[in-house]
Amino acid sequence: MNGMNGMNGMNGTNGMQDIPHDTYSGASAHPAPRAGAEPPRTTPSAHPAPPISALLAAAAEAALPVLRAVREDQLGRPTPCAEYDVRALLNHLFHVVVAFQTLAAKKDADFSRTPDRLGEYGTQWPDRFAAETARLVEAWAAPGAEDGLTGGMNLPARTVGAMVLLDLTVHAWDVARATGQPYVPADGCVAELRALVAQMGPTARTMNVFAEPLPVPPGAGDLDVLLAETGRDPQWTAG
């Protein structure tokens, strides 16, 4: 399959909610030090990671022009997510953007069904989607949103924020490819997402959230490498 394999009927990173909790221990992927061991010495990064809310704002700015340009007659087209046409993928992304506002507030989100928001909002859906992405950014900018664990997933909050960043970035590419549009990811997002996929990818593939990674030619760009790491073919076309 070119793209992320579905879980519970859903195709995208929100399926990672079903990854076993013991895959991640608290807010750090590093093992706990031995009793009596000297605490590890850390060197402050010269380039600290930007807040996840800033990355989400940049990703939304890159994605919105693509989504606004989707025509009604393109909604039935196939996408790199083989289980979704354009309409279904947009509804999925809409649902993720809304649900991860709840996760930012340390509450559980309902992924049992995907509402048909395109049907509900009609031609106004792009404006409603833009409003929800603004709420998403605001939710993750709230004090403490990146701290501790989020929702019932027992995952570090920043990791969960990066999961919606992955959907917003990669699914924007999916829609762009399906509808013949250009897409350039926001600065800084791909580096954050490659770190996320490196961390979660092996378990996600075992759980059938990601397809197996695909090879890329030497010198491939960072976005192409990220897409291949999620099991997508960077050269995918609608045919």
Side-chain angles (χ1 to χ4, degrees), residues 33 90 152 180:
L90 290 170

Side-chain angles (χ1 to χ4, degrees), residues 177-191:
R177 277 295 166 130
T179 57
Q181 298 184 60
Y183 170 70
V184 178
D187 290 344
C189 290
V190 173

Side-chain angles (χ1 to χ4, degrees), residues 2-91:
N2 293 335
M4 300 178 187
N5 291 323
M7 290 191 66
N8 300 327
M10 294 177 292
N11 193 343
T13 53
N14 60 298
M16 289 182 182
Q17 65 186 335
D18 294 324
I19 292 177
H21 294 177
D22 59 4
T23 303
Y24 308 96
S25 54
S28 174
H30 298 291
R34 300 186 308 275
E38 181 180 350
R41 299 178 181 178
T42 58
T43 302
S45 171
H47 302 286
I52 204 70
S53 59
L55 293 175
L56 287 168
E61 185 176 355
L64 284 170
V66 173
L67 273 56
R68 288 187 180 278
V70 175
R71 303 190 311 267
E72 181 74 20
D73 65 346
Q74 295 175 321
L75 293 176
R77 289 188 177 186
T79 73
C81 292
E83 297 178 8
Y84 286 164
D85 61 13
V86 172
R87 177 188 290 276
L89 186 58
L90 290 170
N91 272 325

Side-chain angles (χ1 to χ4, degrees), residues 2 19 43 67 70 80 101 105 113 123 134 138 152 163 165 174 188 208-209 229 233:
N2 293 335
I19 292 177
T43 302
L67 273 56
V70 175
Q101 298 169 34
R113 58 178 294 271
T123 59
E138 182 179 358
M163 287 161 62
L165 179 68
D174 291 332
N208 205 33
V209 177
E229 287 170 344
D233 176 3

Side-chain angles (χ1 to χ4, degrees), residues 76-234:
R77 289 188 177 186
T79 73
C81 292
E83 297 178 8
Y84 286 164
D85 61 13
V86 172
R87 177 188 290 276
L89 186 58
L90 290 170
N91 272 325
H92 162 73
L93 184 56
F94 218 134
H95 182 47
V96 168
V97 165
V98 172
F100 274 72
Q101 298 169 34
T102 303
L103 293 175
K106 305 295 193 293
K107 299 176 182 178
D108 289 337
D110 181 9
F111 291 104
S112 63
R113 58 178 294 271
T114 301
D116 180 14
R117 288 190 167 90
L118 267 67
E120 180 181 353
Y121 300 139
T123 59
Q124 299 303 309
W125 75 261
D127 292 335
R128 296 297 294 264
F129 184 87
E132 293 297 348
T133 58
R135 293 187 183 99
L136 178 72
V137 172
E138 182 179 358
W140 284 95
E146 288 193 38
D147 299 337
L149 306 179
T150 295
M153 295 187 294
N154 199 33
L155 292 175
R158 186 177 176 96
T159 297
V160 175
M163 287 161 62
V164 65
L165 179 68
L166 180 62
D167 265 34
L168 193 54
T169 299
V170 174
H171 287 327
W173 177 86
D174 291 332
V175 173
R177 277 295 166 130
T179 57
Q181 298 184 60
Y183 170 70
V184 178
D187 290 344
C189 290
V190 173
E192 178 84 16
L193 296 176
R194 289 200 61 194
L196 173 74
V197 172
Q199 175 193 14
M200 302 186 76
T203 300
R205 294 182 190 102
T206 299
M207 301 288 294
N208 205 33
V209 177
F210 287 166
E212 288 299 314
L214 299 179
V216 292
D222 287 344
L223 176 60
D224 284 359
V225 174
L226 172 66
L227 295 169
E229 287 170 344
T230 68
R232 284 168 166 77
D233 176 3

